[in-house]
Amino acid sequence: MPIDQHTAPRPSDPAPQPATADPIAKLHLDAGHCAVVGLQWGDEGKGQIVDMLAPLFDLITRFNGGNNAGHSVLIGDQKFALHLVPSGILYGDKINVIGNGVVVNPQGLLGEIDGLRARGVKIAQNLRISSRAHVVMPYHRTEDQLYAQVTAAVSSGAEDIGTTGRGIGPCYADKAQRTTAVRVGDLLRPDDLQPQIRRAVSIKNAILGALAQLAQQPFTPFDADQVLAEALAFGQRLEPHITDTTHLLQEAIESKKRILFEGANAALLDIDHGTYPFVTSSTTSALGVYTGAGVPNGTLGNVIGVAKAYTSRVGGGPHPTELKDALGERIRTAGQEYGTTTGRPRRVGWLDLMAVRYSARLNGATGLVVTGLAVLAGIETLRVCVGYKLGGQMLDAYPADGLLLARIEPVYEELPGFAQALGDCRSFGELPPAARAYIERIERFVGVPVKLVCVGRKRDQVLAR
Ligand code: IMO
Ligand code: MG
């Protein structure tokens, strides 16, 4: 059935949720466009905030990353895990844009579309995909996995990045390489696509064969005809959604529509400004909005930075405040810190204010949202990292370099904990004094107002400051 004529019954159609005036009003958003970005290493709870803000906007736009991201949104008792589709899809009346800066795995996207439809979510012209977005091809996943296996096999002592294995890095690498790249728009032009895929598959087979040999892994070369046939079939199914989203967004801006830019991954995973090389392969910070969606400087009136009240990280790389003990296990359990995309246990630790301040500045955050505060209940003394020492010297700047960061020594400040469970608090004033003091400390250190505090995943657990 063509996508536009999708008329399946929608028994559990999630009701559009009206904006609860209070928390949103407290964000003091100006009338312009807005980005929501993560300030740590991901999984800060951006999905919940985007979902809450969506009613104020006409378009919800993804500008970076691929299906390595995982946003979970709770609507009533239903949990929706989104990887590529913007969270605004859960509202029937929003235009959801997958911008040119995103890398699209067509199989993953179609699976997500089918899964959402089966749960009654309408997906038609409300989902638009940039013809300039790059396609994650089947060999990209193999490449991602082979690089991890090579790292293990050659035992050079270098740490593995610990990718999600979704082929995101290899796809962005091909975008920069150009010769081996495939864009979404190409899927609609069989005559152009055929020679392009033949060339890419020949080159990839040679490279992957060599990598497999190094990793001492078996490798079956990709068959160009099969890759082409699959790609064309994906193109056919996605065609109704594929468009020039740069034009679409520019027109939207001209006609005074409001756009919400939904960040995926997070600022410390930014390819340029994150803890390189332990990062993802796109511009995850708000800086990526411009190139990843094709909108001009000045578009963003508001940048909402989301930070968790503690820190988590999945995959490899330094994590200065990591707790590898029973307390870490307790936070992981209380915070359900297991990956939405890969199910891996997240490496949790104390709140690293050096990192959050750096990210807030980088993103030009106009307001902060602190999530996960309730997870810290019952810990007698809380610690927050307020400085870094390297070779006995205090550092002024955040060393956004994975190898340097691994050598720093965190300097902590202790703050009194709170015993009380916070899930039932319905206003900032109802929080115990120690919890409020914790939030105030964050605000003072980072220098950006904390506008909202989340004490749970439900809508009424977002408290305005
Ligand atoms: P959301 O949107 C947490 C991490 C991976 C790995 C590194 C590179 O859910 O907050 P990649 O597959 O991109 O090559 O992996 O980045 N990573 C994330 N960690 N949340 C995410 O996104 C992430 N996206 C990438 O675990 O360490
Ligand atoms: Mg995630």
Side-chain angles (χ1 to χ4, degrees):
M1 188 182 349
I3 283 168
D4 277 339
Q5 289 158 30
H6 179 77
T7 50
R10 290 183 266 128
S12 57
D13 206 350
Q17 298 159 35
T20 25
D22 196 28
I24 293 177
K26 288 292 170 87
L27 281 170
H28 299 295
L29 296 181
D30 76 5
H33 314 287
C34 177
V36 175
V37 287
L39 298 183
Q40 294 151 319
W41 282 296
D43 308 311
E44 296 90 352
K46 303 175 282 290
Q48 185 182 12
I49 305 307
V50 171
D51 176 56
M52 190 186 82
L53 291 180
L56 300 183
F57 293 85
D58 306 295
L59 299 96
I60 318 297
T61 299
R62 275 277 304 269
F63 59 90
N64 79 290
N67 61 348
N68 52 350
H71 289 181
S72 42
V73 180
L74 203 61
I75 295 187
D77 294 331
Q78 286 205 66
K79 188 177 168 188
F80 291 86
L82 301 165
H83 297 284
L84 269 168
V85 175
S87 315
I89 204 76
L90 302 175
Y91 295 82
D93 61 338
K94 307 295 169 198
I95 301 293
N96 297 275
V97 177
I98 296 181
N100 59 280
V102 176
V103 289
V104 177
N105 177 322
Q107 194 171 13
L109 177 59
L110 286 164
E112 213 171 309
I113 291 175
D114 291 342
L116 285 165
R117 280 191 179 146
R119 295 174 68 182
V121 178
K122 177 190 116 182
I123 302 182
Q125 286 298 298
N126 57 340
L127 177 67
R128 315 309 292 276
I129 308 162
S130 170
S131 52
R132 295 177 208 167
H134 280 251
V135 181
V136 180
M137 301 294 285
Y139 43 78
H140 287 140
R141 288 183 70 125
T142 309
E143 193 172 333
D144 231 353
Q145 284 148 13
L146 278 173
Y147 268 103
Q149 285 162 343
V150 165
T151 302
V154 301
S155 321
S156 68
E159 188 181 351
D160 182 38
I161 289 164
T163 85
T164 59
R166 296 288 187 274
I168 306 304
C171 181
Y172 279 114
D174 281 347
K175 174 178 179 175
Q177 171 53 251
R178 297 151 296 160
T179 309
T180 39
V182 176
R183 304 209 293 183
V184 167
D186 300 334
L187 302 180
L188 306 181
R189 296 190 307 266
D191 292 346
D192 291 337
L193 189 65
Q194 191 190 38
Q196 217 176 331
I197 285 197
R198 288 202 187 290
R199 177 174 63 185
V201 169
S202 307
I203 295 171
K204 287 291 166 179
N205 277 341
I207 294 172
L208 299 183
L211 282 175
Q213 212 170 31
L214 197 57
Q216 298 174 328
Q217 293 292 323
F219 172 66
T220 314
F222 284 87
D223 177 67
D225 289 332
Q226 197 186 333
V227 173
L228 176 67
E230 273 174 20
L232 288 170
F234 289 141
Q236 249 172 14
R237 278 204 65 196
L238 292 174
E239 182 164 19
H241 305 284
I242 301 172
T243 192
D244 178 348
T245 58
T246 304
H247 180 69
L248 178 100
L249 291 169
Q250 289 174 355
E251 294 268 286
I253 292 170
E254 287 285 311
S255 56
K256 304 283 182 240
K257 299 242 170 66
R258 290 184 83 187
I259 310 170
L260 180 61
F261 295 93
E262 175 180 13
N265 326 117
L268 296 181
L269 293 171
D270 187 282
I271 182 80
D272 286 280
H273 303 286
T275 55
Y276 196 89
F278 303 100
V279 294
T280 187
S281 307
S282 63
T283 304
T284 55
S285 63
L287 306 173
V289 165
Y290 306 107
T291 51
V295 295
N297 179 30
T299 299
L300 289 179
N302 316 273
V303 176
I304 304 300
V306 187
K308 203 147 53 178
Y310 50 97
T311 311
S312 74
R313 166 161 221 173
V314 225
H319 182 338
T321 61
E322 184 169 9
L323 289 163
K324 294 183 178 165
D325 54 6
L327 184 56
E329 193 51 53
R330 171 180 167 172
I331 294 175
R332 177 159 39 248
T333 307
Q336 295 168 32
E337 294 291 355
Y338 296 88
T340 322
T341 304
T342 58
R344 292 178 289 180
R346 297 185 186 134
R347 300 160 53 198
V348 301
W350 296 120
L351 177 61
D352 185 345
L353 287 176
M354 286 292 285
V356 174
R357 181 172 66 187
Y358 166 73
S359 288
R361 286 177 177 169
L362 177 72
N363 282 286
T366 54
L368 299 184
V369 175
V370 177
T371 60
L373 186 64
V375 171
L376 300 178
I379 301 173
E380 203 174 315
T381 304
L382 299 170
R383 300 177 110 191
V384 291
C385 172
V386 291
Y388 283 171
K389 264 189 186 167
L390 184 64
Q393 299 276 322
M394 289 295 282
L395 296 184
D396 292 330
Y398 184 78
D401 178 307
L403 303 174
L404 271 184
L405 194 63
R407 294 190 206 121
I408 68 95
E409 193 190 321
V411 177
Y412 288 110
E413 184 175 294
E414 293 196 340
L415 296 167
F418 40 91
Q420 182 191 330
L422 305 184
D424 291 331
C425 292
R426 289 296 171 269
S427 71
F428 189 75
E430 275 178 53
L431 292 174
R436 276 182 277 152
Y438 190 79
I439 297 294
E440 281 150 12
R441 183 67 187 109
I442 296 175
E443 181 171 281
R444 268 203 321 281
F445 191 90
V446 178
V448 177
V450 175
K451 306 258 180 135
L452 304 178
V453 176
C454 300
V455 294
R457 304 288 311 276
K458 299 217 173 92
R459 195 63 194 273
D460 55 357
Q461 290 176 312
V462 181
L463 315 180
R465 184 68 197 294

